[in-house]
Amino acid sequence: ENVLWKEIILGKVASISFGGWASEKNANFYTEQLTKYLKLNNYETIGSFMVAQYNSPWAIPPFRKNEILVKIN
């Protein structure tokens, strides 16, 4: 009842992967790293950055997989 399912067509995206917990601190750190890379390589971002987590609830930090994604031109 409280689940919202929404399909988003992303098109062309840039991403950076990281392990461990997708805490706000880690997400901000990797967002900054991706932002620096994109600016250095003259990519234009479109919209806001997104955090993707690909983990079961019981996955331990060394085996957790996360990404920061952003649409680019």
Side-chain angles (χ1 to χ4, degrees):
E1 295 176 24
N2 296 327
V3 175
L4 173 65
W5 185 269
K6 185 176 180 182
E7 184 175 339
I8 301 172
I9 306 301
L10 294 176
K12 190 173 183 182
V13 299
S15 69
I16 186 169
S17 298
F18 63 100
W21 297 105
S23 64
E24 186 175 347
K25 179 181 175 183
N26 284 342
N28 288 338
F29 174 80
Y30 287 101
T31 297
E32 288 177 24
Q33 296 299 308
L34 183 56
T35 300
K36 288 177 188 176
Y37 176 85
L38 294 172
K39 285 183 180 178
L40 185 64
N41 291 282
N42 300 313
Y43 286 98
E44 180 184 347
T45 61
I46 304 168
S48 57
F49 288 76
M50 298 167 273
V51 179
Q53 301 177 62
Y54 309 104
N55 310 292
S56 65
W58 53 84
I60 58 175
F63 302 106
R64 297 182 74 80
K65 181 177 179 197
N66 313 292
E67 290 181 320
I68 303 295
L69 305 158
V70 66
K71 291 171 85 170
I72 58 173
N73 262 345

